[in-house]
Amino acid sequence: MNGRPWDTPVILDGAWRIANGQVPHRDYYNYLGDLPFYLTSLGMKLGRPSVAAIDYGNVVLMAAVALPAMAVLRRRTSALPAFLFSLFIGLLVITPKPMGDPYDYTDHAMLYNRHGEALIALLGTIVFLTPRPRCANSRADWAEAVLAGLVLTALLGCNLNYFVVGILFFGVACALGRIRPGWALLCVCSAAAFLALALALSKIPLSDLAGDYRMMSACQSFGSRLRGLAIQGVKSIWLLPLLLLPVWEGFLGEGERADQRQPSWRHILVIVVIFGSAALLLSSNCQIGEMPLLALAALYGAELIQRQAGATDENPF
């Protein structure tokens, strides 16, 4: 490792404690989510207690995220974009370099950011990109609701900031009518059930988990969060017009099939929410640069253009 090696002992220490029977938040303070530690502990069982255990755990998470992402995307877009975006999500998990650091760095610092970006991209795909009509399947829809609940639980185990953005995505999708009430209820019940199962298996007291997260959130004031968001938003604002370009075609075509099109302001809102969430994550997490979540906005715009162009004989979502 030639980048930021000092984070690696933190991950290995937490994983080793778990492997020896200690419980996070109850037996020791943990300001991060527990997912990276449990993955590394699993890696120790698959291999041995060493730095390689982190990579073993990352490979497990890569498969657990990229494969469902491919299945979700194939209901929403064509084969090539589905493959490329699921590959992108998998590479987000396993790349051994903090986001924003030079590309010749190799280390496992800020591992939770990569896990969180991959999971939030999967959740955004589920709630914002509606399946194409020809892929309508009630069983698949209910399965995706359960998957979305599982992803929300994993986001809480990854980092509190990503969980908050996940709740934001879910709420915006509900407000825009992308999610049916029954689907939303199943998703919430799924998240609650998976959280209860995770706490029962890990023996983590919910009150201790909330206490550690509350202590961590108090390290940054609300005003400093707003300043950081404003700074990152200004730095990256030039990207927003590029992401909104596909919506312009929606304005041009609204008069042609108005009865079959959602108002373009809804597409604008989705793009703005994704952009704002990416800037918020960058400003509130310990990372220098890069906003992988913008790839979701680009995919959204590309699929919008494809559907509106009639290339797939599908109506815009």
Side-chain angles (χ1 to χ4, degrees), residues 39 45 89 192 257:
L39 285 171
K45 294 180 180 179
I89 288 177
R257 294 184 298 172

Side-chain angles (χ1 to χ4, degrees), residues 33-51:
D34 303 304
L35 181 62
F37 300 107
Y38 277 97
L39 285 171
T40 303
S41 181
L42 174 62
M44 291 179 176
K45 294 180 180 179
L46 296 175
R48 59 188 180 86
S50 68
V51 177

Side-chain angles (χ1 to χ4, degrees), residues 119 122-123 126-127 141-157 163 166-167 170 179 183-196 198:
L119 290 166
L122 174 57
L123 180 65
I126 296 173
V127 299
D141 289 342
W142 297 127
E144 288 182 357
V146 174
L147 175 62
L150 175 60
V151 172
L152 279 171
T153 304
L155 286 169
L156 180 61
F163 178 70
I167 296 297
F170 179 79
I179 296 176
W183 195 101
L185 178 61
L186 179 59
C187 178
V188 172
C189 292
S190 170
F194 280 119
L195 177 59

Side-chain angles (χ1 to χ4, degrees), residues 39-280:
L39 285 171
T40 303
S41 181
L42 174 62
M44 291 179 176
K45 294 180 180 179
L46 296 175
R48 59 188 180 86
S50 68
V51 177
I54 301 175
D55 297 304
Y56 289 135
N58 283 343
V59 170
V60 171
L61 182 62
M62 177 192 68
V65 175
L67 294 179
M70 184 66 182
V72 167
L73 285 161
R74 282 301 288 124
R75 300 186 65 218
R76 290 159 169 79
T77 187
S78 52
L80 182 59
F83 170 75
L84 291 177
F85 198 75
S86 58
L87 177 64
F88 168 73
I89 288 177
L91 291 176
L92 267 178
V93 174
I94 64 171
T95 301
K97 179 190 76 68
M99 290 183 292
D101 279 11
Y103 285 95
D104 58 348
Y105 273 24
T106 302
D107 61 80
H108 296 290
M110 293 168 278
L111 187 63
Y112 54 87
N113 285 339
R114 290 196 169 277
H115 295 172
E117 293 286 353
L119 290 166
I120 199 68
L122 174 57
L123 180 65
T125 301
I126 296 173
V127 299
F128 288 141
L129 278 168
T130 59
R132 294 179 174 183
R134 63 178 175 81
C135 296
N137 186 309
S138 59
R139 290 184 179 180
D141 289 342
W142 297 127
E144 288 182 357
V146 174
L147 175 62
L150 175 60
V151 172
L152 279 171
T153 304
L155 286 169
L156 180 61
C158 180
N159 186 289
L160 186 59
N161 293 329
Y162 288 101
F163 178 70
V164 170
V165 172
I167 296 297
L168 173 64
F169 278 13
F170 179 79
V172 170
C174 289
L176 294 178
R178 300 294 177 87
I179 296 176
R180 302 190 306 273
W183 195 101
L185 178 61
L186 179 59
C187 178
V188 172
C189 292
S190 170
F194 280 119
L195 177 59
L197 179 62
L199 293 176
L201 293 177
S202 64
K203 301 179 182 179
I204 296 175
L206 181 59
S207 58
D208 292 346
L209 171 67
D212 283 359
Y213 275 169
R214 184 169 57 251
M215 290 174 61
M216 182 59 184
S217 62
C219 294
Q220 192 177 24
S221 67
F222 182 72
S224 63
R225 292 177 188 271
L226 286 180
R227 286 193 298 272
L229 176 60
I231 292 172
Q232 294 300 337
V234 170
K235 286 182 178 179
S236 308
I237 194 65
W238 64 274
L239 291 169
L240 186 57
L242 298 178
L243 297 171
L244 289 173
L245 277 177
V247 183
W248 177 250
E249 198 274 339
F251 280 120
L252 297 178
E254 266 185 355
E256 300 176 7
R257 294 184 298 172
D259 58 325
Q260 299 178 356
R261 295 179 182 272
Q262 283 192 352
S264 293
W265 68 265
R266 299 192 180 188
H267 300 308
I268 293 176
L269 180 59
V270 170
I271 299 295
V272 170
V273 166
I274 295 174
F275 175 83
S277 299
L280 175 63

